[in-house]
Amino acid sequence: MLSRQYQKAIEFAAKAHEGQKRKGDGVPYISHPYAVAFILYIQGCHPDIVIAGLLHDTVEDTVVTLAEIQTEFGAAVAELVGIVTEPDKSLPWEHRKKYMIETIKFARVEAKYLSCADKLHNLSSLQINFEQCGEDAWKRLSRGYAEQKWYAESMLDSLFYGLEEAELKPMFYTYERMVRDFFAR
Ligand code: ZN
């Protein structure tokens, strides 16, 4: 049985992202936060992190505010969502990604778990798009191969930075392997 908080977060996220589609493949947006939460759940993360996974893109991409998340799901969840939210979507891609690379580098381990699951699912989606439509997969994204490679490799370094081996979960090594394999082309 899912807890009431999980049910509530699933419905909250579904409503917030209603009608939105993923940039790369056009599938309903909600599939992404659900996949991220699923990864966090099977990696044995604390329920607050799983719930943050369900909600992680609501503040960045919908009308939902951090204050609302704090009221509905508590300060711990709101803090995690706040860490992975880009502060200003009007800034250039490079600028926003550099900010996120630095933020995640010095973030606490719970935020690194959230970010790792997010990046892992994004790269899995990109890999599937690539298998289906080859080089055209890049055209659907805001930046091409070289920039995506830079971002994935920098994020990989940030995720691992400062963590003890005991804190690393299997998904970190999965992401590492995927980045190395995918961008070795
Ligand atoms: Zn995301």
mmCIF file with all atom_site columns, all heavy atoms in Angstrom, residues 22 29 32-33 36 53 56-57 60-61 118-119 121-122, ligand 1:
data_model
loop_
_atom_site.group_PDB
_atom_site.id
_atom_site.type_symbol
_atom_site.label_atom_id
_atom_site.label_alt_id
_atom_site.label_comp_id
_atom_site.label_asym_id
_atom_site.label_entity_id
_atom_site.label_seq_id
_atom_site.pdbx_PDB_ins_code
_atom_site.Cartn_x
_atom_site.Cartn_y
_atom_site.Cartn_z
_atom_site.occupancy
_atom_site.B_iso_or_equiv
_atom_site.pdbx_formal_charge
_atom_site.auth_seq_id
_atom_site.auth_comp_id
_atom_site.auth_asym_id
_atom_site.auth_atom_id
_atom_site.pdbx_PDB_model_num
ATOM   1   N  N   . ARG A 1 22  ? 7.017  16.069 -22.623 1.00 0.00 ? 22  ARG A N   1
ATOM   2   C  CA  . ARG A 1 22  ? 8.480  16.088 -22.511 1.00 0.00 ? 22  ARG A CA  1
ATOM   3   C  C   . ARG A 1 22  ? 9.072  16.672 -23.786 1.00 0.00 ? 22  ARG A C   1
ATOM   4   O  O   . ARG A 1 22  ? 8.595  16.400 -24.893 1.00 0.00 ? 22  ARG A O   1
ATOM   5   C  CB  . ARG A 1 22  ? 9.006  14.658 -22.320 1.00 0.00 ? 22  ARG A CB  1
ATOM   6   C  CG  . ARG A 1 22  ? 8.675  14.096 -20.972 1.00 0.00 ? 22  ARG A CG  1
ATOM   7   C  CD  . ARG A 1 22  ? 9.705  14.453 -19.947 1.00 0.00 ? 22  ARG A CD  1
ATOM   8   N  NE  . ARG A 1 22  ? 10.868 13.584 -20.023 1.00 0.00 ? 22  ARG A NE  1
ATOM   9   C  CZ  . ARG A 1 22  ? 12.015 13.848 -19.396 1.00 0.00 ? 22  ARG A CZ  1
ATOM   10  N  NH1 . ARG A 1 22  ? 12.151 14.958 -18.719 1.00 0.00 ? 22  ARG A NH1 1
ATOM   11  N  NH2 . ARG A 1 22  ? 13.021 13.010 -19.494 1.00 0.00 ? 22  ARG A NH2 1
ATOM   12  N  N   . TYR A 1 29  ? 4.435  14.693 -19.633 1.00 0.00 ? 29  TYR A N   1
ATOM   13  C  CA  . TYR A 1 29  ? 5.530  15.107 -18.743 1.00 0.00 ? 29  TYR A CA  1
ATOM   14  C  C   . TYR A 1 29  ? 5.565  14.311 -17.449 1.00 0.00 ? 29  TYR A C   1
ATOM   15  O  O   . TYR A 1 29  ? 6.633  13.980 -16.933 1.00 0.00 ? 29  TYR A O   1
ATOM   16  C  CB  . TYR A 1 29  ? 5.440  16.611 -18.420 1.00 0.00 ? 29  TYR A CB  1
ATOM   17  C  CG  . TYR A 1 29  ? 6.757  17.079 -17.879 1.00 0.00 ? 29  TYR A CG  1
ATOM   18  C  CD1 . TYR A 1 29  ? 7.754  17.532 -18.733 1.00 0.00 ? 29  TYR A CD1 1
ATOM   19  C  CD2 . TYR A 1 29  ? 7.055  16.978 -16.521 1.00 0.00 ? 29  TYR A CD2 1
ATOM   20  C  CE1 . TYR A 1 29  ? 8.999  17.886 -18.250 1.00 0.00 ? 29  TYR A CE1 1
ATOM   21  C  CE2 . TYR A 1 29  ? 8.298  17.329 -16.037 1.00 0.00 ? 29  TYR A CE2 1
ATOM   22  C  CZ  . TYR A 1 29  ? 9.259  17.776 -16.899 1.00 0.00 ? 29  TYR A CZ  1
ATOM   23  O  OH  . TYR A 1 29  ? 10.506 18.110 -16.417 1.00 0.00 ? 29  TYR A OH  1
ATOM   24  N  N   . HIS A 1 32  ? 8.010  11.549 -16.312 1.00 0.00 ? 32  HIS A N   1
ATOM   25  C  CA  . HIS A 1 32  ? 9.364  11.810 -15.816 1.00 0.00 ? 32  HIS A CA  1
ATOM   26  C  C   . HIS A 1 32  ? 9.438  11.872 -14.279 1.00 0.00 ? 32  HIS A C   1
ATOM   27  O  O   . HIS A 1 32  ? 10.196 11.103 -13.678 1.00 0.00 ? 32  HIS A O   1
ATOM   28  C  CB  . HIS A 1 32  ? 9.924  13.075 -16.487 1.00 0.00 ? 32  HIS A CB  1
ATOM   29  C  CG  . HIS A 1 32  ? 11.171 13.580 -15.854 1.00 0.00 ? 32  HIS A CG  1
ATOM   30  N  ND1 . HIS A 1 32  ? 12.348 12.856 -15.842 1.00 0.00 ? 32  HIS A ND1 1
ATOM   31  C  CD2 . HIS A 1 32  ? 11.429 14.728 -15.159 1.00 0.00 ? 32  HIS A CD2 1
ATOM   32  C  CE1 . HIS A 1 32  ? 13.279 13.546 -15.188 1.00 0.00 ? 32  HIS A CE1 1
ATOM   33  N  NE2 . HIS A 1 32  ? 12.746 14.677 -14.761 1.00 0.00 ? 32  HIS A NE2 1
ATOM   34  N  N   . PRO A 1 33  ? 8.644  12.734 -13.608 1.00 0.00 ? 33  PRO A N   1
ATOM   35  C  CA  . PRO A 1 33  ? 8.695  12.711 -12.134 1.00 0.00 ? 33  PRO A CA  1
ATOM   36  C  C   . PRO A 1 33  ? 8.302  11.358 -11.540 1.00 0.00 ? 33  PRO A C   1
ATOM   37  O  O   . PRO A 1 33  ? 8.867  10.952 -10.505 1.00 0.00 ? 33  PRO A O   1
ATOM   38  C  CB  . PRO A 1 33  ? 7.711  13.803 -11.701 1.00 0.00 ? 33  PRO A CB  1
ATOM   39  C  CG  . PRO A 1 33  ? 7.163  14.421 -12.921 1.00 0.00 ? 33  PRO A CG  1
ATOM   40  C  CD  . PRO A 1 33  ? 7.863  13.883 -14.117 1.00 0.00 ? 33  PRO A CD  1
ATOM   41  N  N   . VAL A 1 36  ? 11.411 9.227  -11.840 1.00 0.00 ? 36  VAL A N   1
ATOM   42  C  CA  . VAL A 1 36  ? 12.439 9.669  -10.878 1.00 0.00 ? 36  VAL A CA  1
ATOM   43  C  C   . VAL A 1 36  ? 12.095 9.148  -9.472  1.00 0.00 ? 36  VAL A C   1
ATOM   44  O  O   . VAL A 1 36  ? 12.954 8.612  -8.767  1.00 0.00 ? 36  VAL A O   1
ATOM   45  C  CB  . VAL A 1 36  ? 12.561 11.218 -10.897 1.00 0.00 ? 36  VAL A CB  1
ATOM   46  C  CG1 . VAL A 1 36  ? 13.400 11.724 -9.727  1.00 0.00 ? 36  VAL A CG1 1
ATOM   47  C  CG2 . VAL A 1 36  ? 13.154 11.678 -12.230 1.00 0.00 ? 36  VAL A CG2 1
ATOM   48  N  N   . GLY A 1 53  ? 11.033 13.739 -5.307  1.00 0.00 ? 53  GLY A N   1
ATOM   49  C  CA  . GLY A 1 53  ? 11.172 13.247 -6.686  1.00 0.00 ? 53  GLY A CA  1
ATOM   50  C  C   . GLY A 1 53  ? 9.894  13.447 -7.488  1.00 0.00 ? 53  GLY A C   1
ATOM   51  O  O   . GLY A 1 53  ? 9.927  13.865 -8.645  1.00 0.00 ? 53  GLY A O   1
ATOM   52  N  N   . HIS A 1 56  ? 9.661  17.342 -8.023  1.00 0.00 ? 56  HIS A N   1
ATOM   53  C  CA  . HIS A 1 56  ? 10.894 18.110 -8.255  1.00 0.00 ? 56  HIS A CA  1
ATOM   54  C  C   . HIS A 1 56  ? 10.835 19.129 -9.397  1.00 0.00 ? 56  HIS A C   1
ATOM   55  O  O   . HIS A 1 56  ? 11.586 20.090 -9.391  1.00 0.00 ? 56  HIS A O   1
ATOM   56  C  CB  . HIS A 1 56  ? 12.106 17.177 -8.429  1.00 0.00 ? 56  HIS A CB  1
ATOM   57  C  CG  . HIS A 1 56  ? 12.240 16.568 -9.784  1.00 0.00 ? 56  HIS A CG  1
ATOM   58  N  ND1 . HIS A 1 56  ? 11.546 15.445 -10.174 1.00 0.00 ? 56  HIS A ND1 1
ATOM   59  C  CD2 . HIS A 1 56  ? 12.986 16.911 -10.861 1.00 0.00 ? 56  HIS A CD2 1
ATOM   60  C  CE1 . HIS A 1 56  ? 11.862 15.135 -11.402 1.00 0.00 ? 56  HIS A CE1 1
ATOM   61  N  NE2 . HIS A 1 56  ? 12.735 16.009 -11.862 1.00 0.00 ? 56  HIS A NE2 1
ATOM   62  N  N   . ASP A 1 57  ? 9.961  18.915 -10.380 1.00 0.00 ? 57  ASP A N   1
ATOM   63  C  CA  . ASP A 1 57  ? 9.897  19.867 -11.501 1.00 0.00 ? 57  ASP A CA  1
ATOM   64  C  C   . ASP A 1 57  ? 8.679  20.793 -11.432 1.00 0.00 ? 57  ASP A C   1
ATOM   65  O  O   . ASP A 1 57  ? 8.470  21.594 -12.344 1.00 0.00 ? 57  ASP A O   1
ATOM   66  C  CB  . ASP A 1 57  ? 9.894  19.119 -12.845 1.00 0.00 ? 57  ASP A CB  1
ATOM   67  C  CG  . ASP A 1 57  ? 11.297 18.697 -13.273 1.00 0.00 ? 57  ASP A CG  1
ATOM   68  O  OD1 . ASP A 1 57  ? 12.274 19.385 -12.886 1.00 0.00 ? 57  ASP A OD1 1
ATOM   69  O  OD2 . ASP A 1 57  ? 11.423 17.676 -13.979 1.00 0.00 ? 57  ASP A OD2 1
ATOM   70  N  N   . GLU A 1 60  ? 9.770  24.611 -11.030 1.00 0.00 ? 60  GLU A N   1
ATOM   71  C  CA  . GLU A 1 60  ? 10.471 25.108 -12.214 1.00 0.00 ? 60  GLU A CA  1
ATOM   72  C  C   . GLU A 1 60  ? 9.536  25.214 -13.425 1.00 0.00 ? 60  GLU A C   1
ATOM   73  O  O   . GLU A 1 60  ? 9.643  26.154 -14.218 1.00 0.00 ? 60  GLU A O   1
ATOM   74  C  CB  . GLU A 1 60  ? 11.628 24.158 -12.535 1.00 0.00 ? 60  GLU A CB  1
ATOM   75  C  CG  . GLU A 1 60  ? 12.638 24.738 -13.483 1.00 0.00 ? 60  GLU A CG  1
ATOM   76  C  CD  . GLU A 1 60  ? 13.874 23.857 -13.565 1.00 0.00 ? 60  GLU A CD  1
ATOM   77  O  OE1 . GLU A 1 60  ? 14.616 23.778 -12.578 1.00 0.00 ? 60  GLU A OE1 1
ATOM   78  O  OE2 . GLU A 1 60  ? 14.069 23.225 -14.616 1.00 0.00 ? 60  GLU A OE2 1
ATOM   79  N  N   . ASP A 1 61  ? 8.630  24.278 -13.575 1.00 0.00 ? 61  ASP A N   1
ATOM   80  C  CA  . ASP A 1 61  ? 7.869  24.171 -14.832 1.00 0.00 ? 61  ASP A CA  1
ATOM   81  C  C   . ASP A 1 61  ? 6.364  24.413 -14.730 1.00 0.00 ? 61  ASP A C   1
ATOM   82  O  O   . ASP A 1 61  ? 5.656  24.300 -15.730 1.00 0.00 ? 61  ASP A O   1
ATOM   83  C  CB  . ASP A 1 61  ? 8.076  22.772 -15.448 1.00 0.00 ? 61  ASP A CB  1
ATOM   84  C  CG  . ASP A 1 61  ? 9.506  22.560 -15.901 1.00 0.00 ? 61  ASP A CG  1
ATOM   85  O  OD1 . ASP A 1 61  ? 10.177 23.553 -16.222 1.00 0.00 ? 61  ASP A OD1 1
ATOM   86  O  OD2 . ASP A 1 61  ? 9.959  21.404 -15.916 1.00 0.00 ? 61  ASP A OD2 1
ATOM   87  N  N   . ASP A 1 118 ? 17.148 12.086 -11.249 1.00 0.00 ? 118 ASP A N   1
ATOM   88  C  CA  . ASP A 1 118 ? 16.663 12.978 -12.310 1.00 0.00 ? 118 ASP A CA  1
ATOM   89  C  C   . ASP A 1 118 ? 17.550 12.860 -13.556 1.00 0.00 ? 118 ASP A C   1
ATOM   90  O  O   . ASP A 1 118 ? 17.071 12.625 -14.672 1.00 0.00 ? 118 ASP A O   1
ATOM   91  C  CB  . ASP A 1 118 ? 16.674 14.414 -11.757 1.00 0.00 ? 118 ASP A CB  1
ATOM   92  C  CG  . ASP A 1 118 ? 16.126 15.446 -12.720 1.00 0.00 ? 118 ASP A CG  1
ATOM   93  O  OD1 . ASP A 1 118 ? 15.260 15.097 -13.541 1.00 0.00 ? 118 ASP A OD1 1
ATOM   94  O  OD2 . ASP A 1 118 ? 16.555 16.612 -12.625 1.00 0.00 ? 118 ASP A OD2 1
ATOM   95  N  N   . LYS A 1 119 ? 18.859 12.981 -13.352 1.00 0.00 ? 119 LYS A N   1
ATOM   96  C  CA  . LYS A 1 119 ? 19.791 12.923 -14.483 1.00 0.00 ? 119 LYS A CA  1
ATOM   97  C  C   . LYS A 1 119 ? 19.782 11.546 -15.134 1.00 0.00 ? 119 LYS A C   1
ATOM   98  O  O   . LYS A 1 119 ? 19.891 11.409 -16.347 1.00 0.00 ? 119 LYS A O   1
ATOM   99  C  CB  . LYS A 1 119 ? 21.217 13.282 -14.037 1.00 0.00 ? 119 LYS A CB  1
ATOM   100 C  CG  . LYS A 1 119 ? 21.343 14.662 -13.426 1.00 0.00 ? 119 LYS A CG  1
ATOM   101 C  CD  . LYS A 1 119 ? 20.891 15.764 -14.399 1.00 0.00 ? 119 LYS A CD  1
ATOM   102 C  CE  . LYS A 1 119 ? 20.606 17.067 -13.695 1.00 0.00 ? 119 LYS A CE  1
ATOM   103 N  NZ  . LYS A 1 119 ? 19.174 17.401 -13.588 1.00 0.00 ? 119 LYS A NZ  1
ATOM   104 N  N   . HIS A 1 121 ? 17.295 9.412  -15.286 1.00 0.00 ? 121 HIS A N   1
ATOM   105 C  CA  . HIS A 1 121 ? 16.112 9.220  -16.131 1.00 0.00 ? 121 HIS A CA  1
ATOM   106 C  C   . HIS A 1 121 ? 16.177 10.064 -17.401 1.00 0.00 ? 121 HIS A C   1
ATOM   107 O  O   . HIS A 1 121 ? 15.783 9.616  -18.473 1.00 0.00 ? 121 HIS A O   1
ATOM   108 C  CB  . HIS A 1 121 ? 14.802 9.485  -15.375 1.00 0.00 ? 121 HIS A CB  1
ATOM   109 C  CG  . HIS A 1 121 ? 13.617 9.205  -16.242 1.00 0.00 ? 121 HIS A CG  1
ATOM   110 N  ND1 . HIS A 1 121 ? 12.790 10.189 -16.713 1.00 0.00 ? 121 HIS A ND1 1
ATOM   111 C  CD2 . HIS A 1 121 ? 13.174 8.047  -16.794 1.00 0.00 ? 121 HIS A CD2 1
ATOM   112 C  CE1 . HIS A 1 121 ? 11.866 9.636  -17.499 1.00 0.00 ? 121 HIS A CE1 1
ATOM   113 N  NE2 . HIS A 1 121 ? 12.081 8.345  -17.554 1.00 0.00 ? 121 HIS A NE2 1
ATOM   114 N  N   . ASN A 1 122 ? 16.709 11.291 -17.290 1.00 0.00 ? 122 ASN A N   1
ATOM   115 C  CA  . ASN A 1 122 ? 16.845 12.127 -18.491 1.00 0.00 ? 122 ASN A CA  1
ATOM   116 C  C   . ASN A 1 122 ? 17.761 11.472 -19.521 1.00 0.00 ? 122 ASN A C   1
ATOM   117 O  O   . ASN A 1 122 ? 17.467 11.473 -20.723 1.00 0.00 ? 122 ASN A O   1
ATOM   118 C  CB  . ASN A 1 122 ? 17.395 13.518 -18.127 1.00 0.00 ? 122 ASN A CB  1
ATOM   119 C  CG  . ASN A 1 122 ? 16.324 14.402 -17.519 1.00 0.00 ? 122 ASN A CG  1
ATOM   120 O  OD1 . ASN A 1 122 ? 15.134 14.167 -17.699 1.00 0.00 ? 122 ASN A OD1 1
ATOM   121 N  ND2 . ASN A 1 122 ? 16.749 15.420 -16.799 1.00 0.00 ? 122 ASN A ND2 1
HETATM 122 ZN ZN  . ZN  B 2 .   ? 13.471 16.453 -13.785 1.00 0.00 ? 1   ZN  B ZN  1
#
